[in-house]
Amino acid sequence: MLIALGLILIALFGAPLFVVIGASALIGFHQSEIDLAVVAIEFYRIAEMPVLLAIPLFTFAGYLLSESNAPHRLVRVTQTLLGWMPGGLAFVALIACALFTAFTGASGVTIVALGALLYPALTEAGYRQNFSLGLVTTSGSLGLLFAPALPLILYAVVAQQLGIGGSITVDDMFLAGILPGLLMLLILVAWSLWSSRGVKLTSFSKAEALSAIREAAWEIPLPIIVLGGIYSGYFAISEAAAVTAFYVLVVEVFIHREISLRRLPQVMREAMLLVGGILVILGMSLAST
């Protein structure tokens, strides 16, 4: 009881979630008289898995995108192309947040990166405040069902290690997420259409659309390169992650120059903190089984 209260207290005082989960797992091992060397052995075993290379690489690429002006360019492209439709701005929020979360692997990063752009635009266009808040947060979570989202990779890794459901690969998980993801997207599109009654529409401008596409010319091919390479079998998951990280690094640091070389180590550090937390939780969960 005292141990549980202590864990709750350190969580309330701001300890990272992975620290609390790791501490509770270690305490459970000790109380069950399990040698704690099992944890180190399990971490070493999962560290040898090639598919885990995709996690830090995709996370690094996502943090680079979120720290640059890519969210603004992405929103501008989708808004100019879809803003003239009934519920068009809501569609912009859905598509932009879903795509961004798929690459960052964290809906919280998407909400921070895109919420400041989309929420004022939605409320200014006439959407209700509660609807606008719910749309941004919900569509951010929706992207976790689409490749190359990190939760799909982690689930495949855990399923492989535990032998659940036969041979489950990361490619299988990516394919399995498409149908439920599209179904939820269609449901949210229908709800957005219903909620957009009376909202003022924006006129379509060919010049504005071409300008937005030119501005985002380097980001637009990214989903095509990554998803096309994965589903065609040309890239393995780890190879697709390496290509994504390298492409985003070149575009945001050397072409757009929105992230300086002096700032790059800070972005890498923040990304790897998230990766470290993910790996600690993954290692503890596998060791406990």
Side-chain angles (χ1 to χ4, degrees):
M1 184 65 178
L2 291 176
I3 294 175
L5 289 175
L7 292 174
I8 293 173
L9 282 175
I10 64 173
L12 292 175
F13 278 106
L17 180 60
F18 72 88
V19 172
V20 178
I21 294 175
S24 61
L26 290 174
I27 293 170
F29 290 157
H30 178 71
Q31 291 178 340
S32 301
E33 299 183 353
I34 298 175
D35 192 342
L36 296 184
V38 172
V39 178
I41 295 171
E42 189 63 31
F43 273 111
Y44 180 79
R45 185 173 66 85
I46 64 173
E48 292 184 316
M49 299 175 61
V51 71
L52 285 188
L53 289 173
I55 295 176
L57 291 172
F58 276 132
T59 304
F60 176 56
Y63 267 75
L64 284 175
L65 288 171
S66 65
E67 293 293 327
S68 67
N69 288 328
H72 174 76
R73 288 189 289 270
L74 180 61
V75 170
R76 185 186 175 201
V77 169
T78 51
Q79 186 170 357
T80 54
L81 295 178
L82 301 176
W84 58 273
M85 300 169 54
L89 189 56
F91 298 165
V92 169
L94 286 170
I95 296 172
C97 290
L99 285 175
F100 204 75
T101 300
F103 281 94
T104 60
S107 58
V109 175
T110 299
I111 293 170
V112 172
L114 295 181
L117 297 173
L118 291 171
Y119 176 70
L122 287 166
T123 54
E124 185 178 347
Y127 290 92
R128 291 178 291 107
Q129 182 179 11
N130 289 340
F131 172 81
S132 301
L133 286 172
L135 186 68
V136 172
T137 54
T138 302
S139 53
S141 301
L142 183 63
L144 299 176
L145 291 172
F146 295 107
L150 295 181
L152 298 178
I153 300 175
L154 290 174
Y155 186 92
V157 170
V158 174
Q160 289 173 8
Q161 295 301 301
L162 300 182
I164 300 173
S167 177
I168 298 177
T169 66
V170 178
D171 291 343
D172 293 334
M173 289 303 304
F174 284 172
L175 290 172
I178 293 176
L179 186 58
L182 291 177
L183 177 61
M184 294 179 66
L185 186 62
L186 288 174
I187 292 173
L188 287 172
V189 164
W191 176 246
S192 299
L193 276 173
W194 176 261
S195 301
S196 65
R197 294 169 299 163
V199 174
K200 183 180 178 181
L201 304 180
T202 59
S203 58
F204 176 77
S205 171
K206 183 178 179 180
E208 175 66 15
L210 291 175
S211 174
I213 291 173
R214 281 195 299 268
E215 186 182 33
W218 288 101
E219 282 88 6
I220 291 174
L222 185 58
I224 301 171
I225 294 172
V226 176
L227 300 183
I230 291 173
Y231 290 131
S232 67
Y234 189 78
F235 291 146
I237 301 301
S238 55
E239 294 170 341
V243 170
T244 301
F246 179 75
Y247 183 88
V248 173
L249 177 68
V250 171
V251 170
E252 306 303 340
V253 176
F254 297 104
I255 296 178
H256 288 307
R257 298 182 180 179
E258 293 171 347
I259 300 177
S260 64
L261 291 174
R262 294 183 62 182
R263 189 180 168 200
L264 188 59
Q266 179 185 353
V267 176
M268 295 174 65
R269 177 180 175 274
E270 293 174 355
M272 293 310 107
L273 282 174
L274 175 61
V275 172
I278 292 172
L279 295 181
V280 167
I281 294 173
L282 177 62
M284 288 298 181
S285 63
L286 291 177
S288 63
T289 56

